[in-house]
């Protein structure tokens, strides 16, 4: 059995740059630097042997830094970076990143769609052209959305069948709120063969102080039923998850949420799906 893959985590160094999203007293627990060295013992304890590090800011400089991290560390098997999808030269920028000595670790691109004022940002002509360039480069696109953005995500995934989309954090439903329209919209997205989903980011959408696995289960059940284990991948969302749970607690929750599946199905969620979709070596 291959080691596990954590398909979604972050690192940052606040002495290099601020994380502009990290505002408010509630963010104090994670307002410090987090490195691969900090993650390594936690990952080892959880049986995680490969990870995908994901962008946190809209800067190509961060993507270059992450590629250097991946090249210099055995744990990181892939990078989901950032480029300006609205730029006319997005194809050239992707080519420049891939041509670097460490460019082979670039596996995908992401943008903070849920921070865009326009819920239909993904449907803009310039964005669609940028996404087509991501597909042309052989990369994956991570969808960072919330429920209001799912209709635009659906239209966009339909319009670009050549691009592999990955829904981050099950599209961030409010855990404990209404399942609809999130569940129906996510099921519509799951009906497309070019879309997969990360079982990640759930604990921070629940009550940070007293969430239980049973709070998360209805949402995980929708994801597992809609996508199937072969299109679902585990992600810790470390260190953001630390606002609500330790790394070990997030892994244990994911194990509990998938406890009724067969061992081969769990192997897909905890490794095989991410290896296939992100082409991890």
């Amino acid at each position: 059995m291959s080691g596990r893959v954590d398909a979604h985590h972050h690192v940052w160094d606040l002495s290099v740059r601020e994380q502009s999203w990290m505002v408010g007293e509630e963010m104090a627990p994670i307002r410090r630097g987090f490195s691969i060295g900090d993650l390594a013992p936690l990952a080892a304890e959880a049986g995680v042997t490969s990870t995908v590090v994901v962008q946190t800011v809209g800067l190509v400089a961060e993507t270059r830094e992450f590629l250097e991290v991946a090249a210099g560390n055995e744990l990181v098997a892939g990078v989901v970076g950032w480029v300006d999808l609205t730029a006319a030269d997005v194809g050239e920028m992707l080519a420049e990143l891939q041509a670097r000595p460490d460019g082979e670790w670039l596996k995908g691109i992401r943008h903070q769609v849920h921070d865009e004022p326009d819920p239909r940002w993904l449907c803009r002509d310039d964005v669609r052209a940028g996404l087509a360039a991501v597909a042309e480069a052989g990369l994956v696109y991570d969808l960072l959305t919330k429920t209001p953005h799912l209709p635009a995500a659906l239209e966009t995934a339909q319009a670009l069948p050549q691009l592999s989309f990955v829904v981050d954090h099950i599209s961030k439903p409010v855990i404990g709120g209404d399942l609809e329209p999130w569940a129906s919209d996510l099921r519509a997205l799951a009906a497309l063969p070019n879309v997969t989903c990360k079982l990640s980011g759930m604990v921070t959408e629940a009550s940070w102080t007293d969430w239980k696995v049973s709070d998360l289960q209805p949402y995980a059940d929708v994801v597992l039923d809609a996508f199937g284990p072969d299109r679902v991948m585990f992600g810790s969302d470390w260190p953001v998850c630390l606002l609500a749970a330790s790394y070990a607690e997030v892994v244990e929750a994911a194990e509990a949420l998938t406890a009724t599946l067969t061992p081969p199905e769990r192997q897909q969620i905890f490794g095989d799906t991410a290896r296939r979709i992100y082409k991890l070596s």
Side-chain angles (χ1 to χ4, degrees), residues 175-223:
I175 305 291
D178 292 334
L179 282 172
E180 295 297 342
W182 166 82
S184 293
D185 288 348
L186 195 73
R187 285 183 185 279
L189 204 49
L192 303 179
N194 59 323
V195 184
T196 53
C197 187
K198 288 181 184 175
L199 198 64
S200 64
M202 298 174 70
V203 294
T204 45
E205 298 303 318
S207 169
W208 292 359
T209 53
D210 60 0
W211 66 271
K212 305 180 295 298
V213 170
S214 59
D215 300 331
L216 313 180
Q217 193 73 61
Y219 301 85
D221 288 348
V222 168
V223 170

Short mmCIF file of all heavy atoms in Angstrom, two decimals, residues 175-223:
data_model
loop_
_atom_site.label_atom_id
_atom_site.label_comp_id
_atom_site.label_asym_id
_atom_site.label_seq_id
_atom_site.Cartn_x
_atom_site.Cartn_y
_atom_site.Cartn_z
N ILE A 175 -21.16 24.50 7.80
CA ILE A 175 -21.47 23.24 8.47
C ILE A 175 -22.46 23.51 9.59
O ILE A 175 -22.21 24.34 10.47
CB ILE A 175 -20.21 22.57 9.03
CG1 ILE A 175 -19.15 22.37 7.94
CG2 ILE A 175 -20.56 21.25 9.73
CD1 ILE A 175 -19.47 21.36 6.89
N GLY A 176 -23.59 22.83 9.53
CA GLY A 176 -24.65 23.08 10.50
C GLY A 176 -25.77 23.92 9.92
O GLY A 176 -26.82 24.07 10.52
N GLY A 177 -25.52 24.46 8.72
CA GLY A 177 -26.56 25.23 8.03
C GLY A 177 -27.36 24.31 7.12
O GLY A 177 -27.32 23.09 7.22
N ASP A 178 -28.08 24.91 6.19
CA ASP A 178 -28.88 24.13 5.25
C ASP A 178 -27.97 23.43 4.25
O ASP A 178 -27.00 24.01 3.76
CB ASP A 178 -29.85 25.04 4.49
CG ASP A 178 -30.94 25.61 5.39
OD1 ASP A 178 -31.25 24.96 6.41
OD2 ASP A 178 -31.46 26.68 5.06
N LEU A 179 -28.30 22.19 3.92
CA LEU A 179 -27.56 21.47 2.89
C LEU A 179 -27.83 22.06 1.50
O LEU A 179 -26.96 22.03 0.63
CB LEU A 179 -27.94 19.99 2.90
CG LEU A 179 -27.31 19.11 3.99
CD1 LEU A 179 -27.93 17.73 3.99
CD2 LEU A 179 -25.80 19.02 3.81
N GLU A 180 -29.02 22.60 1.32
CA GLU A 180 -29.36 23.19 0.02
C GLU A 180 -29.18 24.71 0.04
O GLU A 180 -29.37 25.33 1.08
CB GLU A 180 -30.81 22.85 -0.33
CG GLU A 180 -31.07 21.36 -0.56
CD GLU A 180 -30.31 20.79 -1.73
OE1 GLU A 180 -29.83 21.57 -2.59
OE2 GLU A 180 -30.17 19.56 -1.78
N PRO A 181 -28.78 25.31 -1.10
CA PRO A 181 -28.63 24.69 -2.43
C PRO A 181 -27.26 24.05 -2.67
O PRO A 181 -27.01 23.53 -3.75
CB PRO A 181 -28.84 25.87 -3.38
CG PRO A 181 -28.27 27.03 -2.61
CD PRO A 181 -28.63 26.78 -1.17
N TRP A 182 -26.38 24.11 -1.65
CA TRP A 182 -25.02 23.58 -1.82
C TRP A 182 -25.03 22.16 -2.37
O TRP A 182 -24.32 21.85 -3.34
CB TRP A 182 -24.27 23.64 -0.48
CG TRP A 182 -23.01 22.84 -0.47
CD1 TRP A 182 -21.80 23.22 -0.97
CD2 TRP A 182 -22.84 21.49 0.02
NE1 TRP A 182 -20.88 22.19 -0.82
CE2 TRP A 182 -21.50 21.13 -0.21
CE3 TRP A 182 -23.70 20.56 0.63
CZ2 TRP A 182 -20.99 19.88 0.15
CZ3 TRP A 182 -23.20 19.32 1.00
CH2 TRP A 182 -21.86 18.98 0.76
N ALA A 183 -25.82 21.26 -1.76
CA ALA A 183 -25.77 19.85 -2.13
C ALA A 183 -26.17 19.63 -3.59
O ALA A 183 -25.48 18.92 -4.34
CB ALA A 183 -26.66 19.02 -1.20
N SER A 184 -27.26 20.24 -4.01
CA SER A 184 -27.72 20.07 -5.39
C SER A 184 -26.73 20.66 -6.39
O SER A 184 -26.45 20.06 -7.45
CB SER A 184 -29.09 20.72 -5.59
OG SER A 184 -30.07 20.03 -4.84
N ASP A 185 -26.18 21.83 -6.06
CA ASP A 185 -25.21 22.47 -6.96
C ASP A 185 -23.92 21.65 -7.05
O ASP A 185 -23.33 21.51 -8.13
CB ASP A 185 -24.91 23.89 -6.49
CG ASP A 185 -26.06 24.84 -6.73
OD1 ASP A 185 -27.00 24.47 -7.46
OD2 ASP A 185 -26.04 25.96 -6.17
N LEU A 186 -23.50 21.09 -5.93
CA LEU A 186 -22.28 20.27 -5.94
C LEU A 186 -22.52 18.98 -6.71
O LEU A 186 -21.65 18.52 -7.46
CB LEU A 186 -21.82 19.98 -4.52
CG LEU A 186 -20.38 19.44 -4.43
CD1 LEU A 186 -19.38 20.57 -4.70
CD2 LEU A 186 -20.09 18.82 -3.07
N ARG A 187 -23.69 18.39 -6.56
CA ARG A 187 -24.02 17.18 -7.32
C ARG A 187 -24.01 17.45 -8.83
O ARG A 187 -23.57 16.61 -9.62
CB ARG A 187 -25.38 16.63 -6.89
CG ARG A 187 -25.37 15.94 -5.53
CD ARG A 187 -26.74 15.35 -5.19
NE ARG A 187 -26.78 14.80 -3.85
CZ ARG A 187 -26.32 13.60 -3.50
NH1 ARG A 187 -25.77 12.81 -4.42
NH2 ARG A 187 -26.41 13.17 -2.26
N ALA A 188 -24.51 18.61 -9.22
CA ALA A 188 -24.50 18.96 -10.65
C ALA A 188 -23.06 19.05 -11.17
O ALA A 188 -22.75 18.59 -12.26
CB ALA A 188 -25.23 20.29 -10.86
N LEU A 189 -22.19 19.64 -10.35
CA LEU A 189 -20.77 19.73 -10.71
C LEU A 189 -20.14 18.34 -10.77
O LEU A 189 -19.36 18.03 -11.68
CB LEU A 189 -20.06 20.61 -9.68
CG LEU A 189 -18.76 21.34 -10.05
CD1 LEU A 189 -18.90 22.09 -11.36
CD2 LEU A 189 -18.36 22.26 -8.92
N ALA A 190 -20.51 17.49 -9.82
CA ALA A 190 -19.96 16.14 -9.76
C ALA A 190 -20.39 15.28 -10.95
O ALA A 190 -19.72 14.29 -11.28
CB ALA A 190 -20.40 15.45 -8.46
N ALA A 191 -21.48 15.67 -11.62
CA ALA A 191 -21.94 14.92 -12.79
C ALA A 191 -20.99 15.08 -13.98
O ALA A 191 -21.08 14.31 -14.93
CB ALA A 191 -23.35 15.37 -13.18
N LEU A 192 -20.10 16.06 -13.91
CA LEU A 192 -19.14 16.28 -14.99
C LEU A 192 -17.90 15.43 -14.75
O LEU A 192 -17.35 15.43 -13.64
CB LEU A 192 -18.75 17.76 -15.07
CG LEU A 192 -19.90 18.75 -15.26
CD1 LEU A 192 -19.36 20.18 -15.29
CD2 LEU A 192 -20.66 18.45 -16.55
N PRO A 193 -17.41 14.71 -15.76
CA PRO A 193 -16.27 13.81 -15.55
C PRO A 193 -14.94 14.51 -15.29
O PRO A 193 -14.00 13.89 -14.79
CB PRO A 193 -16.21 13.01 -16.86
CG PRO A 193 -16.88 13.90 -17.88
CD PRO A 193 -17.94 14.64 -17.13
N ASN A 194 -14.86 15.83 -15.60
CA ASN A 194 -13.60 16.55 -15.43
C ASN A 194 -13.51 17.29 -14.09
O ASN A 194 -12.67 18.18 -13.92
CB ASN A 194 -13.39 17.55 -16.58
CG ASN A 194 -14.51 18.58 -16.70
OD1 ASN A 194 -15.68 18.27 -16.47
ND2 ASN A 194 -14.15 19.82 -17.05
N VAL A 195 -14.35 16.91 -13.12
CA VAL A 195 -14.34 17.56 -11.81
C VAL A 195 -14.11 16.54 -10.71
O VAL A 195 -14.73 15.48 -10.70
CB VAL A 195 -15.66 18.31 -11.54
CG1 VAL A 195 -15.59 19.07 -10.21
CG2 VAL A 195 -15.98 19.28 -12.68
N THR A 196 -13.19 16.85 -9.81
CA THR A 196 -12.96 16.05 -8.60
C THR A 196 -13.10 16.98 -7.39
O THR A 196 -13.28 18.19 -7.55
CB THR A 196 -11.57 15.38 -8.61
OG1 THR A 196 -10.59 16.38 -8.85
CG2 THR A 196 -11.47 14.31 -9.66
N CYS A 197 -13.01 16.42 -6.18
CA CYS A 197 -13.31 17.20 -4.99
C CYS A 197 -12.38 16.83 -3.84
O CYS A 197 -12.07 15.65 -3.65
CB CYS A 197 -14.76 16.96 -4.57
SG CYS A 197 -15.35 18.02 -3.23
N LYS A 198 -11.96 17.84 -3.10
CA LYS A 198 -11.14 17.61 -1.91
C LYS A 198 -12.02 17.53 -0.66
O LYS A 198 -12.82 18.44 -0.40
CB LYS A 198 -10.11 18.74 -1.73
CG LYS A 198 -8.99 18.69 -2.74
CD LYS A 198 -8.00 19.80 -2.52
CE LYS A 198 -6.92 19.78 -3.60
NZ LYS A 198 -5.99 20.92 -3.50
N LEU A 199 -11.85 16.44 0.07
CA LEU A 199 -12.47 16.30 1.39
C LEU A 199 -11.54 17.03 2.35
O LEU A 199 -10.62 16.46 2.92
CB LEU A 199 -12.61 14.82 1.74
CG LEU A 199 -13.59 14.46 2.86
CD1 LEU A 199 -15.02 14.80 2.47
CD2 LEU A 199 -13.49 12.97 3.18
N SER A 200 -11.76 18.33 2.46
CA SER A 200 -10.83 19.19 3.19
C SER A 200 -11.57 20.44 3.67
O SER A 200 -12.68 20.73 3.23
CB SER A 200 -9.67 19.63 2.26
OG SER A 200 -10.17 20.44 1.19
N GLY A 201 -10.93 21.16 4.58
CA GLY A 201 -11.43 22.46 5.00
C GLY A 201 -12.75 22.45 5.72
O GLY A 201 -13.39 23.50 5.86
N MET A 202 -13.19 21.30 6.21
CA MET A 202 -14.52 21.21 6.81
C MET A 202 -14.56 21.73 8.25
O MET A 202 -15.52 22.37 8.66
CB MET A 202 -15.03 19.78 6.74
CG MET A 202 -15.18 19.26 5.32
SD MET A 202 -15.62 17.51 5.24
CE MET A 202 -17.31 17.57 5.84
N VAL A 203 -13.51 21.43 9.02
CA VAL A 203 -13.56 21.78 10.45
C VAL A 203 -13.66 23.28 10.67
O VAL A 203 -14.30 23.74 11.63
CB VAL A 203 -12.38 21.19 11.23
CG1 VAL A 203 -12.44 19.66 11.24
CG2 VAL A 203 -11.03 21.67 10.70
N THR A 204 -13.07 24.06 9.78
CA THR A 204 -13.11 25.52 9.95
C THR A 204 -14.40 26.14 9.41
O THR A 204 -14.64 27.34 9.60
CB THR A 204 -11.89 26.19 9.28
OG1 THR A 204 -11.69 25.61 7.98
CG2 THR A 204 -10.65 25.99 10.12
N GLU A 205 -15.24 25.32 8.75
CA GLU A 205 -16.57 25.79 8.37
C GLU A 205 -17.62 25.37 9.40
O GLU A 205 -18.79 25.73 9.29
CB GLU A 205 -16.96 25.25 6.99
CG GLU A 205 -16.04 25.71 5.85
CD GLU A 205 -15.94 27.22 5.73
OE1 GLU A 205 -16.97 27.90 5.86
OE2 GLU A 205 -14.81 27.71 5.52
N ALA A 206 -17.19 24.59 10.39
CA ALA A 206 -18.05 24.20 11.51
C ALA A 206 -17.73 25.09 12.71
O ALA A 206 -16.93 26.02 12.61
CB ALA A 206 -17.81 22.73 11.85
N SER A 207 -18.33 24.81 13.85
CA SER A 207 -18.00 25.54 15.07
C SER A 207 -16.58 25.17 15.48
O SER A 207 -16.28 24.00 15.73
CB SER A 207 -18.96 25.17 16.19
OG SER A 207 -18.49 25.67 17.43
N TRP A 208 -15.68 26.17 15.55
CA TRP A 208 -14.27 25.89 15.81
C TRP A 208 -14.05 25.22 17.17
O TRP A 208 -13.13 24.43 17.34
CB TRP A 208 -13.45 27.18 15.76
CG TRP A 208 -13.36 27.78 14.39
CD1 TRP A 208 -13.90 27.29 13.24
CD2 TRP A 208 -12.69 28.99 14.03
NE1 TRP A 208 -13.60 28.12 12.18
CE2 TRP A 208 -12.86 29.17 12.63
CE3 TRP A 208 -11.94 29.94 14.74
CZ2 TRP A 208 -12.32 30.25 11.95
CZ3 TRP A 208 -11.41 31.02 14.06
CH2 TRP A 208 -11.60 31.18 12.68
N THR A 209 -14.90 25.53 18.13
CA THR A 209 -14.64 25.08 19.50
C THR A 209 -15.32 23.77 19.86
O THR A 209 -14.86 23.07 20.77
CB THR A 209 -15.10 26.16 20.50
OG1 THR A 209 -16.46 26.51 20.21
CG2 THR A 209 -14.23 27.40 20.39
N ASP A 210 -16.40 23.40 19.19
CA ASP A 210 -17.10 22.19 19.63
C ASP A 210 -17.67 21.37 18.47
O ASP A 210 -18.70 20.71 18.61
CB ASP A 210 -18.21 22.55 20.63
CG ASP A 210 -19.26 23.48 20.05
OD1 ASP A 210 -19.13 23.87 18.87
OD2 ASP A 210 -20.21 23.83 20.78
N TRP A 211 -16.99 21.38 17.32
CA TRP A 211 -17.44 20.55 16.20
C TRP A 211 -17.28 19.07 16.55
O TRP A 211 -16.43 18.70 17.35
CB TRP A 211 -16.68 20.88 14.92
CG TRP A 211 -15.21 20.54 14.98
CD1 TRP A 211 -14.20 21.35 15.42
CD2 TRP A 211 -14.60 19.29 14.63
NE1 TRP A 211 -13.00 20.70 15.35
CE2 TRP A 211 -13.21 19.42 14.88
CE3 TRP A 211 -15.07 18.08 14.13
CZ2 TRP A 211 -12.29 18.39 14.64
CZ3 TRP A 211 -14.18 17.05 13.90
CH2 TRP A 211 -12.80 17.20 14.15
N LYS A 212 -18.09 18.26 15.92
CA LYS A 212 -18.02 16.80 16.07
C LYS A 212 -18.04 16.18 14.67
O LYS A 212 -18.54 16.80 13.72
CB LYS A 212 -19.20 16.26 16.88
CG LYS A 212 -19.38 16.90 18.24
CD LYS A 212 -20.58 16.33 18.99
CE LYS A 212 -21.93 16.63 18.32
NZ LYS A 212 -22.23 18.07 18.24
N VAL A 213 -17.53 14.97 14.56
CA VAL A 213 -17.55 14.27 13.27
C VAL A 213 -18.97 14.16 12.75
O VAL A 213 -19.22 14.28 11.55
CB VAL A 213 -16.89 12.88 13.39
CG1 VAL A 213 -17.13 12.05 12.13
CG2 VAL A 213 -15.39 13.02 13.65
N SER A 214 -19.92 13.96 13.66
CA SER A 214 -21.33 13.83 13.24
C SER A 214 -21.86 15.11 12.60
O SER A 214 -22.79 15.05 11.79
CB SER A 214 -22.20 13.43 14.43
OG SER A 214 -22.12 14.39 15.46
N ASP A 215 -21.26 16.26 12.93
CA ASP A 215 -21.65 17.51 12.27
C ASP A 215 -21.21 17.51 10.80
O ASP A 215 -21.88 18.08 9.93
CB ASP A 215 -21.01 18.71 12.97
CG ASP A 215 -21.39 18.84 14.43
OD1 ASP A 215 -22.51 18.41 14.79
OD2 ASP A 215 -20.58 19.37 15.21
N LEU A 216 -20.07 16.89 10.55
CA LEU A 216 -19.47 16.90 9.21
C LEU A 216 -20.04 15.82 8.30
O LEU A 216 -20.02 15.96 7.08
CB LEU A 216 -17.95 16.70 9.32
CG LEU A 216 -17.17 17.52 10.34
CD1 LEU A 216 -15.69 17.16 10.29
CD2 LEU A 216 -17.36 19.02 10.15
N GLN A 217 -20.53 14.74 8.91
CA GLN A 217 -20.91 13.54 8.16
C GLN A 217 -21.91 13.79 7.02
O GLN A 217 -21.73 13.28 5.91
CB GLN A 217 -21.45 12.47 9.09
CG GLN A 217 -21.57 11.08 8.44
CD GLN A 217 -20.21 10.42 8.24
OE1 GLN A 217 -19.48 10.17 9.19
NE2 GLN A 217 -19.88 10.12 6.97
N PRO A 218 -23.00 14.57 7.25
CA PRO A 218 -23.96 14.76 6.14
C PRO A 218 -23.32 15.39 4.91
O PRO A 218 -23.69 15.07 3.77
CB PRO A 218 -25.02 15.69 6.74
CG PRO A 218 -24.89 15.53 8.22
CD PRO A 218 -23.44 15.25 8.48
N TYR A 219 -22.35 16.27 5.12
CA TYR A 219 -21.68 16.96 4.02
C TYR A 219 -20.72 16.01 3.32
O TYR A 219 -20.67 15.94 2.07
CB TYR A 219 -20.95 18.20 4.55
CG TYR A 219 -21.89 19.16 5.21
CD1 TYR A 219 -22.24 19.01 6.55
CD2 TYR A 219 -22.47 20.21 4.50
CE1 TYR A 219 -23.14 19.87 7.17
CE2 TYR A 219 -23.37 21.08 5.10
CZ TYR A 219 -23.71 20.90 6.43
OH TYR A 219 -24.60 21.75 7.03
N ALA A 220 -19.97 15.23 4.11
CA ALA A 220 -19.07 14.24 3.53
C ALA A 220 -19.85 13.20 2.75
O ALA A 220 -19.42 12.75 1.67
CB ALA A 220 -18.25 13.58 4.63
N ASP A 221 -21.01 12.81 3.26
CA ASP A 221 -21.83 11.81 2.58
C ASP A 221 -22.28 12.31 1.20
O ASP A 221 -22.30 11.53 0.23
CB ASP A 221 -23.05 11.44 3.42
CG ASP A 221 -22.69 10.59 4.64
OD1 ASP A 221 -21.54 10.10 4.70
OD2 ASP A 221 -23.55 10.44 5.53
N VAL A 222 -22.66 13.58 1.10
CA VAL A 222 -23.03 14.15 -0.20
C VAL A 222 -21.86 14.07 -1.17
O VAL A 222 -22.00 13.64 -2.32
CB VAL A 222 -23.50 15.63 -0.05
CG1 VAL A 222 -23.62 16.30 -1.42
CG2 VAL A 222 -24.82 15.69 0.69
N VAL A 223 -20.67 14.46 -0.69
CA VAL A 223 -19.48 14.45 -1.53
C VAL A 223 -19.15 13.04 -2.01
O VAL A 223 -18.90 12.80 -3.20
CB VAL A 223 -18.28 15.06 -0.77
CG1 VAL A 223 -16.97 14.85 -1.53
CG2 VAL A 223 -18.52 16.54 -0.52
#
